[in-house]
Amino acid sequence: GENVEQHPSTLSVQEGDSAVIKCTYSDSASNYFPWYKQELGKRPQLIIDIRSNVGEKKDQRIAVTLNKTAKHFSLHITETQPEDSAVYFCAASRNTGFQKLVFGTGTRLLVSP
Amino acid sequence: DTEVTQTPKHLVMGMTNKKSLKCEQHMGHRAMYWYKQKAKKPPELMFVYSYEKLSINESVPSRFSPECPNSSLLNLHLHALQPEDSALYLCASSQGDRETQYFGPGTRLLVL
């Protein structure tokens, strides 16, 4: 089955810096890659997603890149703000009748003012 | 609107109790999911109802049983749980079985 690795497990940056989180996946048939942000005690919230037919997607300060050949994808957050502090999960999915998301282990991002 | 609601928010139960978790969405989504999330871990898929067909993660013990009364409701029936079942139980839904999943706020369950 699919296995998703995520690095780093914790990331501390200063406000205004950029943050990059990287994930690798094992199943070459995976074709959907969402990123979720989870604040303490809250639900995971989708922040951006990408499908295997594109290499990059951007939404304001957030961007995701996908390298299908290397089987890795990354989340880039620019101009970080304290409210970006949360746990970020990447996920990969292969559509086989239903969408089974396999999550990475999570990255705890701390943005210091 | 991307609202998925779950009740109750918190639940404490003994190992001999029977309880149910409820999830509801009014977005016309045709797929609904139950996830279990332990502290500092990612969500793990338990069950999927997609177009009213159930798919099961075979590692989920039988003390958890899902029920889908209609396309907007999803229940999770709990019976004879163990303390290690204490976790955050998240419901999610998606428009189709290949679309983005949106999560509810979760039910925090404590089994004593």
Side-chain angles (χ1 to χ4, degrees):
Chain A
E2 176 65 277
N3 182 51
V4 179
E5 295 187 358
Q6 184 172 347
H7 298 281
S9 57
T10 59
L11 180 58
S12 294
V13 300
Q14 292 291 317
E15 182 176 1
D17 289 350
S18 294
V20 180
I21 302 171
K22 299 181 179 182
C23 288
T24 59
Y25 60 98
S26 60
D27 187 349
S28 57
S30 287
N31 56 10
Y32 175 62
F33 308 93
W35 286 87
Y36 286 87
K37 173 185 179 182
Q38 188 173 28
E39 298 178 42
L40 189 62
K42 300 289 184 66
R43 75 186 80 189
Q45 290 197 298
L46 181 78
I47 55 172
I48 197 166
D49 57 8
I50 192 168
R51 298 187 185 271
S52 59
N53 57 345
V54 298
E56 184 174 359
K57 185 176 179 180
K58 189 173 182 180
D59 183 4
Q60 299 183 327
R61 296 187 297 111
I62 294 172
V64 57
T65 58
L66 171 65
N67 183 326
K68 287 169 53 181
T69 302
K71 289 189 284 188
H72 67 68
F73 56 112
S74 300
L75 177 70
H76 304 253
I77 306 174
T78 59
E79 301 173 26
T80 54
Q81 302 167 2
E83 50 266 37
D84 294 329
S85 298
V87 177
Y88 291 80
F89 291 103
C90 64
S93 172
R94 173 187 180 187
N95 293 323
T96 54
F98 65 90
Q99 186 197 90
K100 179 181 178 181
L101 286 179
V102 177
F103 285 85
T105 49
T107 296
R108 183 171 300 278
L109 174 65
L110 177 62
V111 182
S112 301
Chain B
D1 186 9
T2 55
E3 187 69 15
V4 178
T5 59
Q6 289 185 243
T7 55
K9 291 184 179 179
H10 303 276
L11 179 62
V12 180
M13 60 186 291
M15 289 187 284
T16 58
N17 292 158
K18 286 185 180 181
K19 297 287 184 182
S20 296
L21 309 184
K22 298 185 183 300
C23 176
E24 188 170 12
Q25 56 88 14
H26 292 290
M27 297 176 281
H29 288 180
R30 297 304 303 274
M32 296 184 75
Y33 312 77
W34 279 116
Y35 287 85
K36 173 182 179 181
Q37 186 178 25
K38 300 283 279 185
K40 299 185 179 180
K41 297 290 187 181
E44 291 183 62
L45 183 65
M46 300 175 72
F47 304 103
V48 181
Y49 266 97
S50 177
Y51 294 89
E52 300 174 8
K53 179 181 176 182
L54 173 64
S55 297
I56 298 173
N57 181 342
E58 294 180 354
S59 66
V60 177
S62 59
R63 54 187 183 267
F64 295 92
S65 60
E67 178 198 13
C68 192
N70 58 57
S71 59
S72 63
L73 287 171
L74 184 64
N75 299 323
L76 185 62
H77 300 299
L78 315 173
H79 175 55
L81 294 194
Q82 303 296 309
E84 60 264 29
D85 297 321
S86 299
L88 179 67
Y89 288 84
L90 292 160
C91 174
S93 71
S94 60
Q95 187 169 19
D97 57 8
R98 301 184 179 192
E99 302 299 322
T100 301
Q101 294 183 28
Y102 297 95
F103 285 86
T107 292
R108 193 163 297 279
L109 174 67
L110 177 62
V111 181
L112 300 176

